[in-house]
Amino acid sequence: MKIAMIGTGYVGLVSGVCFSDFGHEVVCVDKDPGKIDRLNAGQVPIFEPGLEALMAKNVSAGRLSFTLDLAEAVAGADAVFIAVGTPTRRGDGHADLTYVMAAAEEIGRALTGYAVIVTKSTVPVGTNRKVAEAAAAANPDAKFDVASNPEFLREGAAIDDFMRPDRVVVGVESQRARKVMADIYRPLFLREFPVVYTGLESAEMIKYAANAFLATKITFINEIAALCEKVGADIKDVSKGMGMDGRIGNKFLHAGPGYGGSCFPKDTMALARIGQDHAVPMQITETVIKVNDEIKRRMIDKIVDLCDGSLNGKTIAVLGVTFKPNTDDMRDAPSLTIVPALVGGGAKVRVVDPQGQREGEALLPGVKWVESPYQAAHGADLVVLLTEWNEFRALDLSKLAKKMETPRMADLRNIYSLEEATEAGFQTYAAVGR
């Protein structure tokens, strides 16, 4: 199959590389000349484990290429995937479809024969029909169908998620389009990974409903964690006991400083707006958004308490600022709420993150970036564990404590325990829900 992938952001690049590894001929398109130059030079603009090697392998095999020329990529393609950004629109919480609709028009003008226009970007319910209208208006003679094919990739594990998915969701309305999509995903079907075919609207809704449910699960356990702190329960024991129930499951029951990233904040806000637009308020989702913001602020209060009520003049070491480990993504990370509050309160903040500095330097002004946790902790009054990178899971706590002015720890990912920290020489240790 010949595939054009419009957009080389996170979803577009990972999807394009993985499709080429299936054996398809893939051309990835972007409007950013600098990004295309870097890709053609073999440089991956995002951090995702395994992506650079897989990209190099398929470029070398002649199955994967990158271009600025959309018309060239679309000509003769069996399927054209739209994988451009749908950021939250300023002021109203809606997903901004500017890039999606512009891509649809350009694709419509560029079509040379029948193709399936596939929306991979996360878009509100009804968008695929608008994509069809935009493409048809741009070129009334174009022959095409539209399909919805939402992505369910976890940053840091995206290649494995693409190659071994829980399910592939495909929204189509014609047998011809279904056959094209079946041929594209044939390598997964042959290995008995489930492909779920639905209508357009159902596929669009599955993506929002899934992400809102996961965000709800995270927020629920974080709220239970706050209660655990008051009644003397341990959230790790509570989560384990809950997760053993097959109806609940043990995933997304890890208490922490709130969810962030490129999907959950944006998609919960968009779903809330879709509900309001259709006079069916998504009251649970709206509450999740509110409570998640409160959880991040509660972490600030926890840190202030550990600093005897004042941040002014304190030196604080922050370990990890990306929204999760194994990614360089800072979008809506809890650190973007917590770290500026520390700086604003007069603290001197040192930050260490294996991949966060490239994005973080612009997003977190006023902090000092250092190379190691021990360097960050030197002379510090408090260490804050904010992202659970593997590098921070096996720290020499005694060495860390000895380097500090006052050995105190805010373990916002529950990596260690009070016993471990006390034994290592920490005077004060605070976790989440324990």
Side-chain angles (χ1 to χ4, degrees), residues 407-423:
R408 308 174 195 177
M409 179 186 289
D411 182 1
L412 304 186
R413 295 291 181 175
N414 290 346
I415 294 173
Y416 299 103
S417 67
L418 176 60
E419 291 75 22
E420 286 176 295
T422 304
E423 192 176 307

mmCIF file of all heavy atoms in Angstrom, residues 407-423:
data_model
loop_
_atom_site.group_PDB
_atom_site.id
_atom_site.type_symbol
_atom_site.label_atom_id
_atom_site.label_comp_id
_atom_site.label_asym_id
_atom_site.label_seq_id
_atom_site.Cartn_x
_atom_site.Cartn_y
_atom_site.Cartn_z
ATOM 1 N N PRO A 407 18.029 17.346 55.116
ATOM 2 C CA PRO A 407 17.543 16.224 54.309
ATOM 3 C C PRO A 407 16.036 15.984 54.464
ATOM 4 O O PRO A 407 15.588 15.372 55.420
ATOM 5 C CB PRO A 407 18.353 15.027 54.816
ATOM 6 C CG PRO A 407 18.899 15.419 56.135
ATOM 7 C CD PRO A 407 18.907 16.906 56.209
ATOM 8 N N ARG A 408 15.303 16.526 53.504
ATOM 9 C CA ARG A 408 13.847 16.347 53.475
ATOM 10 C C ARG A 408 13.460 15.934 52.063
ATOM 11 O O ARG A 408 14.041 16.391 51.086
ATOM 12 C CB ARG A 408 13.116 17.645 53.826
ATOM 13 C CG ARG A 408 13.576 18.290 55.121
ATOM 14 C CD ARG A 408 12.900 19.634 55.290
ATOM 15 N NE ARG A 408 13.548 20.441 56.318
ATOM 16 C CZ ARG A 408 13.207 21.677 56.630
ATOM 17 N NH1 ARG A 408 12.222 22.272 55.980
ATOM 18 N NH2 ARG A 408 13.835 22.340 57.569
ATOM 19 N N MET A 409 12.414 15.105 51.951
ATOM 20 C CA MET A 409 11.992 14.638 50.627
ATOM 21 C C MET A 409 10.478 14.691 50.476
ATOM 22 O O MET A 409 9.733 14.255 51.363
ATOM 23 C CB MET A 409 12.457 13.197 50.381
ATOM 24 C CG MET A 409 12.020 12.643 49.018
ATOM 25 S SD MET A 409 12.402 10.881 48.774
ATOM 26 C CE MET A 409 14.165 10.956 48.606
ATOM 27 N N ALA A 410 10.052 15.238 49.326
ATOM 28 C CA ALA A 410 8.654 15.133 48.906
ATOM 29 C C ALA A 410 8.616 14.127 47.764
ATOM 30 O O ALA A 410 9.013 14.443 46.642
ATOM 31 C CB ALA A 410 8.131 16.488 48.453
ATOM 32 N N ASP A 411 8.197 12.912 48.071
ATOM 33 C CA ASP A 411 8.160 11.828 47.085
ATOM 34 C C ASP A 411 6.761 11.789 46.478
ATOM 35 O O ASP A 411 5.871 11.082 46.958
ATOM 36 C CB ASP A 411 8.500 10.505 47.780
ATOM 37 C CG ASP A 411 8.532 9.323 46.829
ATOM 38 O OD1 ASP A 411 8.303 9.525 45.619
ATOM 39 O OD2 ASP A 411 8.782 8.190 47.300
ATOM 40 N N LEU A 412 6.572 12.565 45.404
ATOM 41 C CA LEU A 412 5.226 12.720 44.832
ATOM 42 C C LEU A 412 4.854 11.580 43.890
ATOM 43 O O LEU A 412 3.786 11.610 43.280
ATOM 44 C CB LEU A 412 5.119 14.070 44.114
ATOM 45 C CG LEU A 412 5.456 15.303 44.967
ATOM 46 C CD1 LEU A 412 5.178 16.589 44.200
ATOM 47 C CD2 LEU A 412 4.707 15.284 46.296
ATOM 48 N N ARG A 413 5.722 10.566 43.777
ATOM 49 C CA ARG A 413 5.415 9.374 42.964
ATOM 50 C C ARG A 413 5.464 8.091 43.783
ATOM 51 O O ARG A 413 5.373 6.993 43.233
ATOM 52 C CB ARG A 413 6.399 9.268 41.792
ATOM 53 C CG ARG A 413 6.286 10.403 40.786
ATOM 54 C CD ARG A 413 5.004 10.346 40.004
ATOM 55 N NE ARG A 413 4.924 11.431 39.025
ATOM 56 C CZ ARG A 413 3.940 11.552 38.133
ATOM 57 N NH1 ARG A 413 2.945 10.683 38.107
ATOM 58 N NH2 ARG A 413 3.938 12.554 37.271
ATOM 59 N N ASN A 414 5.602 8.226 45.108
ATOM 60 C CA ASN A 414 5.578 7.058 46.003
ATOM 61 C C ASN A 414 6.578 5.980 45.595
ATOM 62 O O ASN A 414 6.276 4.779 45.608
ATOM 63 C CB ASN A 414 4.161 6.459 46.067
ATOM 64 C CG ASN A 414 3.198 7.363 46.806
ATOM 65 O OD1 ASN A 414 3.610 8.300 47.495
ATOM 66 N ND2 ASN A 414 1.908 7.104 46.662
ATOM 67 N N ILE A 415 7.787 6.407 45.234
ATOM 68 C CA ILE A 415 8.825 5.459 44.827
ATOM 69 C C ILE A 415 9.474 4.816 46.053
ATOM 70 O O ILE A 415 9.766 3.621 46.063
ATOM 71 C CB ILE A 415 9.897 6.174 43.968
ATOM 72 C CG1 ILE A 415 9.278 6.626 42.648
ATOM 73 C CG2 ILE A 415 11.107 5.271 43.726
ATOM 74 C CD1 ILE A 415 10.185 7.487 41.805
ATOM 75 N N TYR A 416 9.680 5.598 47.099
ATOM 76 C CA TYR A 416 10.357 5.098 48.289
ATOM 77 C C TYR A 416 9.353 4.967 49.451
ATOM 78 O O TYR A 416 8.143 5.042 49.241
ATOM 79 C CB TYR A 416 11.524 6.024 48.637
ATOM 80 C CG TYR A 416 12.549 6.098 47.526
ATOM 81 C CD1 TYR A 416 12.621 7.210 46.668
ATOM 82 C CD2 TYR A 416 13.408 5.035 47.289
ATOM 83 C CE1 TYR A 416 13.544 7.251 45.628
ATOM 84 C CE2 TYR A 416 14.334 5.070 46.251
ATOM 85 C CZ TYR A 416 14.389 6.176 45.424
ATOM 86 O OH TYR A 416 15.291 6.208 44.388
ATOM 87 N N SER A 417 9.855 4.750 50.632
ATOM 88 C CA SER A 417 8.981 4.621 51.804
ATOM 89 C C SER A 417 9.573 5.441 52.948
ATOM 90 O O SER A 417 10.763 5.805 52.933
ATOM 91 C CB SER A 417 8.871 3.156 52.229
ATOM 92 O OG SER A 417 10.133 2.684 52.716
ATOM 93 N N LEU A 418 8.747 5.694 53.952
ATOM 94 C CA LEU A 418 9.199 6.437 55.134
ATOM 95 C C LEU A 418 10.364 5.710 55.806
ATOM 96 O O LEU A 418 11.343 6.338 56.221
ATOM 97 C CB LEU A 418 8.037 6.609 56.115
ATOM 98 C CG LEU A 418 8.362 7.287 57.450
ATOM 99 C CD1 LEU A 418 8.901 8.694 57.235
ATOM 100 C CD2 LEU A 418 7.128 7.309 58.355
ATOM 101 N N GLU A 419 10.267 4.366 55.862
ATOM 102 C CA GLU A 419 11.317 3.584 56.519
ATOM 103 C C GLU A 419 12.653 3.730 55.774
ATOM 104 O O GLU A 419 13.701 3.956 56.398
ATOM 105 C CB GLU A 419 10.913 2.099 56.575
ATOM 106 C CG GLU A 419 9.751 1.788 57.497
ATOM 107 C CD GLU A 419 8.405 2.227 56.920
ATOM 108 O OE1 GLU A 419 8.291 2.377 55.671
ATOM 109 O OE2 GLU A 419 7.476 2.443 57.717
ATOM 110 N N GLU A 420 12.614 3.600 54.449
ATOM 111 C CA GLU A 420 13.833 3.734 53.641
ATOM 112 C C GLU A 420 14.458 5.111 53.815
ATOM 113 O O GLU A 420 15.679 5.253 53.994
ATOM 114 C CB GLU A 420 13.522 3.512 52.155
ATOM 115 C CG GLU A 420 13.253 2.084 51.743
ATOM 116 C CD GLU A 420 12.860 1.999 50.273
ATOM 117 O OE1 GLU A 420 11.786 2.549 49.915
ATOM 118 O OE2 GLU A 420 13.612 1.399 49.492
ATOM 119 N N ALA A 421 13.616 6.135 53.734
ATOM 120 C CA ALA A 421 14.116 7.515 53.816
ATOM 121 C C ALA A 421 14.701 7.810 55.194
ATOM 122 O O ALA A 421 15.780 8.409 55.321
ATOM 123 C CB ALA A 421 12.995 8.490 53.475
ATOM 124 N N THR A 422 14.009 7.373 56.254
ATOM 125 C CA THR A 422 14.477 7.620 57.622
ATOM 126 C C THR A 422 15.795 6.903 57.878
ATOM 127 O O THR A 422 16.736 7.467 58.452
ATOM 128 C CB THR A 422 13.413 7.149 58.636
ATOM 129 O OG1 THR A 422 12.173 7.809 58.352
ATOM 130 C CG2 THR A 422 13.836 7.483 60.057
ATOM 131 N N GLU A 423 15.876 5.650 57.418
ATOM 132 C CA GLU A 423 17.097 4.860 57.590
ATOM 133 C C GLU A 423 18.287 5.500 56.877
ATOM 134 O O GLU A 423 19.428 5.409 57.318
ATOM 135 C CB GLU A 423 16.856 3.444 57.054
ATOM 136 C CG GLU A 423 17.936 2.450 57.433
ATOM 137 C CD GLU A 423 17.590 1.045 56.950
ATOM 138 O OE1 GLU A 423 16.480 0.568 57.264
ATOM 139 O OE2 GLU A 423 18.423 0.464 56.239
#
